Amino acid sequence: MSRRMNVKWTLVGTVGAVGALCLVVSHRSTQAQAPPPGPRYGVVDLGEVMRQYAEVEQMKAKLEARAEKFKQEGQARQQKIEDLRFQRDQKHPDSPEWYRLQKELNRLTVELELWTKFEKQDIQAESREQQSNAYKQVLKAVETAGKQRGLDVVFHLDSVDLNDANDVVTLQRMATRAVIYAAPTVNLTKDVAALVNQMSSGKK
């Protein structure tokens, strides 16, 4: 009788152990088959960030001031040429004074053309550099904000002005929008705008 009970308990114990082992294997198999979590997305309106970026307004004001200075100096140079042309016209075309004034007039005209060309190129180069620096700062702020939220990808949330007078441009923007809908919870625009201004203040 005792031997039969031992056999019975041994069988029960064996069955229980096998059952437990099956549960463990099944649990591990379930864990192994569970799909990995998908990527987390966010969006940011870069246009709105640029509008809120204080340094961009400062850059714009600086370029406008330089453009105004360029305009005034160009007008002054042009006026000098006109005054000289008037003086030349008062002289006899065969006189030495006429030739002297004409020579000076030619020199000033060429100088104005070259100065205008190089000043425009320099202003455009400065504008491109400032835009590039601002854009790099914004991208850095986007990366920081995205990492803070544990995001894997951040898309540009481009807005479309339906009141734009140019229907062709509006339709093109509507057709090429990268993001149609994004929940407010994944919108990083405010965070990025605050970060980029904070980073800008830290450089000063």
Side-chain angles (χ1 to χ4, degrees):
M1 180 70 177
S2 175
R3 184 178 178 182
R4 290 180 179 177
M5 289 181 64
N6 288 339
V7 171
K8 184 177 181 180
W9 283 112
T10 302
L11 289 172
V12 171
T14 303
V15 171
V18 171
L21 180 60
C22 289
L23 287 174
V24 171
V25 172
S26 176
H27 178 64
R28 289 181 177 176
S29 177
T30 302
Q31 285 184 327
Q33 294 175 359
R40 299 186 61 190
Y41 301 107
V43 296
V44 60
D45 187 340
L46 293 180
E48 182 61 27
V49 171
M50 284 295 190
R51 284 188 289 271
Q52 296 185 32
Y53 191 3
E55 190 168 328
V56 169
E57 290 301 317
Q58 295 171 6
M59 292 176 182
K60 183 179 177 182
K62 182 180 177 181
L63 284 172
E64 287 177 349
R66 182 172 179 186
E68 181 61 26
K69 182 180 178 181
F70 164 74
K71 178 182 176 181
Q72 292 178 359
E73 185 172 349
Q75 290 175 341
R77 286 172 177 255
Q78 185 63 46
Q79 187 60 50
K80 187 175 181 180
I81 290 173
E82 294 300 324
D83 292 342
L84 192 62
R85 182 178 287 113
F86 178 78
Q87 294 178 30
R88 182 207 62 183
D89 292 343
Q90 305 306 309
K91 307 298 179 181
H92 192 280
D94 293 331
S95 66
E97 188 65 12
W98 189 94
Y99 283 107
R100 185 188 69 79
L101 292 173
Q102 179 61 42
K103 184 177 179 180
E104 180 67 10
L105 186 62
N106 291 340
R107 183 183 68 81
L108 292 178
T109 301
V110 171
E111 283 184 357
L112 176 59
E113 291 176 355
L114 293 175
W115 175 84
T116 301
K117 178 181 177 180
F118 288 118
E119 278 295 306
K120 284 183 177 180
Q121 290 178 346
D122 198 39
I123 291 174
Q124 290 172 353
E126 183 180 353
S127 177
R128 285 193 298 268
E129 182 181 5
Q130 291 185 356
Q131 290 176 1
S132 176
N133 291 337
Y135 186 62
K136 289 177 182 178
Q137 285 293 102
V138 170
L139 291 183
K140 189 180 296 183
V142 171
E143 180 181 355
T144 300
K147 287 181 177 179
Q148 288 175 350
R149 291 206 189 183
L151 303 179
D152 300 297
V153 181
V154 177
F155 291 100
H156 170 45
L157 181 64
D158 47 346
S159 55
V160 177
D161 183 8
L162 298 179
N163 297 318
D164 195 312
N166 193 328
D167 294 338
V168 176
V169 173
T170 300
L171 289 173
Q172 287 177 344
R173 289 176 178 173
M174 291 171 64
T176 58
R177 289 189 71 175
V179 178
I180 303 300
Y181 168 77
T185 53
V186 300
N187 194 327
L188 307 177
T189 302
K190 290 183 179 180
D191 295 349
V192 173
L195 270 172
V196 79
N197 282 304
Q198 181 181 348
M199 291 162 60
S200 177
S201 299
K203 293 192 303 180
K204 298 177 182 178

